Amino acid sequence: MTTFYIAMDDDGPEELNYDSNILGTESFGKFYAERGMGSLESIVENHPEKLKNTQIFTDTGVSFTITEFLDHLNKLKVLFN
């Protein structure tokens, strides 16, 4: 099981525990989307200039660009709560 997070440049470690920073969890070929997916969508739709300052990474420290993350999601069955 892997948890994915979204963070802006000014987010510290304590902000990662907020549900708005948790993109979701990957397990057994499925991605269980959390509230952070709404945060990512909001950035894309309303503040695209902030995308260059947006970081996506896992609980194991693996970093993704937004494009890499979306490509990764395309390989999974995405489930929204």
Side-chain angles (χ1 to χ4, degrees):
M1 186 160 77
T2 303
T3 301
F4 289 78
Y5 299 92
I6 184 171
M8 302 302 289
D9 283 343
D10 58 351
D11 284 343
E14 61 278 353
E15 277 91 9
L16 295 182
N17 292 321
Y18 296 156
D19 59 350
S20 60
N21 288 75
I22 301 171
L23 288 166
T25 305
E26 177 185 349
S27 181
F28 300 107
K30 295 179 183 169
F31 184 81
Y32 300 91
E34 297 289 338
R35 190 163 168 223
M37 288 296 287
S39 298
L40 177 58
E41 181 181 4
S42 177
I43 293 168
V44 170
E45 290 181 359
N46 302 315
H47 304 285
E49 71 281 359
K50 294 184 178 185
L51 289 172
K52 63 182 177 212
N53 298 322
T54 303
Q55 303 168 24
I56 296 177
F57 53 93
T58 68
D59 55 355
T60 59
V62 177
S63 295
F64 290 83
T65 65
I66 292 172
T67 302
E68 289 169 339
F69 174 68
L70 294 175
D71 287 345
H72 184 75
L73 284 185
N74 280 332
K75 299 173 188 170
L76 304 171
K77 181 175 182 174
V78 179
L79 304 170
F80 290 88
N81 295 338

